[in-house]
Amino acid sequence: MLHRLLSGDLPRSRVLAVLLILIVAGLFLVPFIFPGAKALDVAAKICIFIVLVASFDLLLGYTGIVSFAHTMFFGIGAYGVAIALTRLGPTWTAVAAGAGLALLVSLALSLVIGLFSLRVKAMFYAMITLAVATAFQTLASQLSDFTGGEDGLSIRVPELLTSAFPEVPRLFLGVALNGKIISYYLLAATTVVLFLVMLRIVNSPFGRVLQAIRENEFRAEALGYKTVIYRTASNVLSALFATLAGVLLALWLHYNGPDTSLSFEIMIDLLLMVVIGGMGTMYGSVVGATIFLLAQNYLQDLMKVASRGLSGVPVLRDLVHPDRWLLWLGVLFILSVYRFPAGIVGKLRMKAVVKP
Amino acid sequence: MTFALETRELTIRFGGHVAVNAVSCGFAPGTLTAIVGPNGAGKTTYFNLISGQLKASAGSVHLQGHDISGLSAPQRSHKGIGRAFQLTNLFPNLSVMENIRLAVQSRAGMGLNMWSIWSSHKDLIRRAEEVLETVALTAKRDLAAAALPHGDQRKLEVAILMALQPDIFMFDEPTAGMSVDEVPVILDLIRGLKTQGDKTILLVEHKMDVVRELADRIIVLHNGALVADGDPAEVIASPIVQEAYLGIEVAK
């Protein structure tokens, strides 16, 4: 059962298995163990980014295609739902219509960009995706009648997902089961399903061909695999899952704008999460997204505490001042990439092979 | 008769250089043809034209009488043309087993299956294990291909070709760089293919003792052109081969 659910791709390391169980259990219990809006918000972001990072890993880690247009598809999903909800009102039909249209747009765009990938070398392909993504970002902020421009769109979501629902929420273990909690659990459940689907894809015969293409495209061709088809399919699939992550983002935030889904900063975060977690491992997306977002959201708080504790020590006090949190975040990432070039999951699995 | 494989006036030019020059040659099923010639004679280029890695400037390639000149490398692979490469050409970070399994999977036409678990296709794995056994690599099945010593990599290269089960086998110096005690494994495999009787085998080889032992026929390429073709003993004895190919040995 577990074997089928995880597509035969078990963690293969005890430490990793424990880590994954902790993360999943933590995510599902957040409303009960960490009350407060911030914790729930960070947990929801982790879920959304697990989907986004996993979809990027499908392309980068498994197929070996470097693309900078991944946030574009994320944005298309978020804008699709946001625009549909603004125009059609807060109904589930609007959500479905927005998501459906967004998927169609992503399908068409990724197909076109994917076909480019056959014509040009890896580096130029990366440049093309960068150009397309930048153009799209400009377009999104210029078409302000549609997209709300730089301000973005604040949206009203179906009533079930709002914190005002129901009027008198039931209490469960001291937590009010309102629309916010419902929408968090819907989000978490969707994340699990999407992740397992992607895990299945990379462990299918098709997924094995993707890895063969990453390793030696010329040889894959000689074996009889039409790499054109596989590379394009990988591009399209990865774009569609990113679009779905975007849909989840807009529904969670009740808002979408260029900075929340399209910005190049998110693209860089995404790259870091994939690399920290471990490219080509899928589980890396869970570990990478969790560690990155926890650090991004809580490092500053942690430093505030440390700084107060060290208020008597002159240099140290300044070093851990909360304003320096970005510096320390950077140091953490450099260290982790330096210490774990294969990512955390890659490293754990290697260790597990050495000492069984 | 219809040849299993035939090239007609097959030519490729790189700028002003004619690497393969109007080579017309037919290969009958059940025979092993050795292709010899000095370095730079165009042997590997000739192979690339047949298996589709290069497109001919002129002339054509025919498989069972059908013109396949317009087909891509993967399409030719599916039509039954199998190729082992001169420079070892593997999936370096995938396991030995996976290298072979991917070939078996391609042969089974399963590549686009996205919804089953690869390891649930036990028949493919069993078939890959059989091939692994024939090249005596079973003990190293879980090693990464890149971690194998050179001789084993050559064996794996041949094993991948076997796993594809083609009708046309093209070996490009299969024993190059192998230690003496490893060579027989490969030669036995090729001999085994010959006894099946319906396989067409093309072999580029520099070691004349190997050629003498295995070949039913020898063709000689020199500066991209076919300069001799016939019975091994005759061809080896002919003056043109003595001069063009074995010249160095004679000079010694």
Side-chain angles (χ1 to χ4, degrees):
Chain A
M1 177 64 189
L2 188 68
H3 180 87
R4 281 199 69 75
L5 215 52
L6 299 182
S7 306
D9 188 5
L10 302 172
R12 296 206 305 275
S13 146
R14 200 165 296 159
V15 183
L16 178 59
V18 171
L19 193 61
L20 288 171
I21 290 170
L22 277 178
I23 291 173
V24 174
L27 286 175
F28 273 90
L29 295 175
V30 157
F32 301 100
I33 30 185
F34 306 108
K38 184 175 178 185
L40 197 64
D41 207 47
V42 171
K45 275 231 174 83
I46 290 175
C47 289
I48 293 164
F49 273 88
I50 286 173
V51 176
L52 188 61
V53 174
S55 67
F56 192 50
D57 196 28
L58 176 70
L59 189 66
L60 178 70
Y62 282 86
T63 323
I65 298 176
V66 182
S67 161
F68 292 113
H70 206 63
T71 45
M72 176 174 82
F73 299 112
F74 188 47
I76 289 173
Y79 272 115
V81 166
I83 292 171
L85 283 171
T86 326
R87 307 258 145 172
L88 304 175
T91 61
W92 287 105
T93 323
V95 173
L101 267 173
L103 286 171
L104 279 179
V105 172
S106 288
L107 175 75
L109 259 175
S110 62
L111 212 58
V112 173
I113 299 179
L115 288 171
F116 266 118
S117 75
L118 323 163
R119 301 252 164 260
V120 295
K121 289 260 178 291
M123 198 55 216
F124 295 103
Y125 178 71
M127 291 296 129
I128 289 172
T129 58
L130 188 57
V132 173
T134 314
F136 188 85
Q137 200 178 345
T138 314
L139 197 68
S141 59
Q142 292 299 312
L143 289 175
S144 47
D145 287 347
F146 248 120
T147 61
E150 291 293 335
D151 297 335
L153 292 168
S154 286
I155 50 179
R156 284 178 53 218
V157 295
E159 202 198 353
L160 178 70
L161 304 180
T162 59
S163 41
F165 174 89
E167 272 176 57
V168 186
R170 262 203 297 175
L171 282 178
F172 181 72
L173 295 176
V175 177
L177 298 181
N178 61 12
K180 202 71 192 167
I181 301 288
I182 295 172
S183 73
Y184 175 73
Y185 278 108
L186 282 176
L187 167 63
T190 312
T191 299
V192 170
V193 172
L194 291 178
F195 178 82
L196 290 178
V197 169
M198 283 186 270
L199 192 64
R200 173 57 64 87
I201 290 174
V202 300
N203 284 296
S204 67
F206 169 80
R208 302 298 267 195
V209 179
L210 297 187
Q211 295 178 55
I213 292 173
R214 174 193 72 199
E215 290 291 313
N216 188 344
E217 184 169 358
F218 175 82
R219 192 62 172 112
E221 282 263 322
L223 281 189
Y225 294 115
K226 296 188 189 75
T227 54
V228 182
I229 293 174
Y230 291 89
R231 289 174 62 112
T232 309
S234 171
N235 247 304
V236 170
L237 283 171
S238 138
L240 293 183
F241 282 106
T243 308
L244 290 175
V247 169
L248 297 176
L249 178 81
L251 286 178
W252 175 256
L253 292 179
H254 301 186
Y255 166 82
N256 184 50
D259 291 339
T260 48
S261 60
L262 281 179
S263 82
F264 198 66
E265 244 170 80
I266 298 177
M267 193 62 232
I268 293 172
D269 291 354
L270 200 56
L271 266 170
L272 277 169
M273 287 184 234
V274 171
V275 172
I276 290 171
M279 279 198 280
T281 60
M282 271 299 145
Y283 291 114
S285 64
V286 179
V287 177
T290 307
I291 290 183
F292 185 94
L293 288 166
L294 284 182
Q296 202 180 41
N297 286 285
Y298 290 107
L299 189 62
Q300 208 173 3
D301 295 345
L302 194 72
M303 287 174 65
K304 231 177 254 166
V305 176
S307 177
R308 217 172 293 139
L310 293 168
S311 55
V313 193
V315 182
L316 223 50
R317 175 190 57 200
D318 296 332
L319 267 179
V320 295
H321 191 275
D323 287 354
R324 314 261 184 284
W325 77 281
L326 263 176
L327 170 80
W328 287 105
L329 194 64
V331 170
L332 269 181
F333 293 142
I334 292 169
L335 277 180
S336 80
V337 172
Y338 187 73
R339 291 285 305 154
F340 313 113
I344 294 172
V345 172
K347 180 84 176 179
L348 287 175
R349 281 183 163 177
M350 256 186 274
K351 265 197 180 149
V353 171
V354 178
K355 334 177 263 191
Chain B
M1 71 176 277
T2 318
F3 290 114
L5 177 74
E6 190 186 1
T7 66
R8 295 184 193 159
E9 299 287 318
L10 197 61
T11 304
I12 188 166
R13 295 179 206 95
F14 298 111
H17 176 65
V18 187
V20 172
N21 194 354
V23 175
S24 296
C25 191
F27 303 94
T31 57
L32 189 151
T33 308
I35 301 168
V36 301
N39 287 328
K43 303 181 297 285
T44 297
T45 311
Y46 184 54
F47 264 26
N48 282 337
L49 288 170
I50 293 174
S51 55
Q53 271 78 29
L54 289 172
K55 283 262 165 2
S57 316
S60 55
V61 181
H62 298 257
L63 186 68
Q64 315 291 1
H66 302 290
D67 190 345
I68 57 161
S69 311
L71 300 187
S72 67
Q75 284 169 323
R76 291 186 199 194
S77 169
H78 282 294
K79 294 259 179 208
I81 296 184
R83 166 90 189 268
F85 290 87
Q86 179 185 13
L87 299 172
T88 303
N89 207 330
L90 304 166
F91 302 111
N93 298 313
L94 302 184
S95 71
V96 169
M97 176 67 185
E98 182 64 5
N99 268 270
I100 298 176
R101 204 199 57 84
L102 279 164
V104 176
Q105 181 181 296
S106 171
R107 166 76 192 179
M110 290 256 311
L112 285 169
N113 182 326
M114 288 187 194
W115 198 238
S116 61
I117 305 172
W118 70 272
S119 53
S120 70
H121 298 282
K122 299 272 189 274
D123 45 333
L124 301 189
I125 295 175
R126 245 191 317 274
R127 169 88 190 102
E129 280 167 346
E130 282 167 27
V131 177
L132 212 51
E133 192 70 44
T134 62
V135 289
L137 284 176
T138 306
K140 299 178 178 173
R141 56 177 284 166
D142 294 325
L143 287 181
L148 292 180
H150 179 80
D152 284 344
Q153 291 193 355
R154 301 296 308 164
K155 281 191 211 163
L156 182 54
E157 179 76 40
V158 171
I160 289 173
L161 176 55
M162 299 286 174
L164 282 172
Q165 296 180 292
D167 301 315
I168 316 282
F169 285 79
M170 302 171 71
F171 294 99
D172 199 347
E173 298 194 39
T175 63
M178 271 192 166
S179 68
V180 187
D181 51 323
E182 287 171 325
V183 173
V185 178
I186 299 297
L187 297 190
D188 284 346
L189 274 175
I190 298 177
R191 226 176 267 124
L193 287 175
K194 265 182 74 172
T195 55
Q196 288 181 27
D198 56 344
K199 305 296 183 210
T200 310
I201 307 163
L202 275 63
L203 171 71
V204 167
E205 184 56 79
H206 274 298
K207 295 183 182 122
M208 285 318 271
D209 50 334
V210 171
V211 170
R212 231 178 249 123
E213 198 207 314
L214 287 176
D216 301 311
R217 170 192 179 195
I218 295 182
I219 64 175
V220 184
L221 288 183
H222 187 48
N223 291 332
L226 190 105
V227 293
D229 178 356
D231 182 67
E234 261 170 56
V235 172
I236 291 172
S238 69
I240 190 153
V241 171
Q242 294 292 324
E243 187 199 320
Y245 184 56
L246 303 170
I248 307 160
E249 284 184 22
V250 170
K252 272 186 210 159

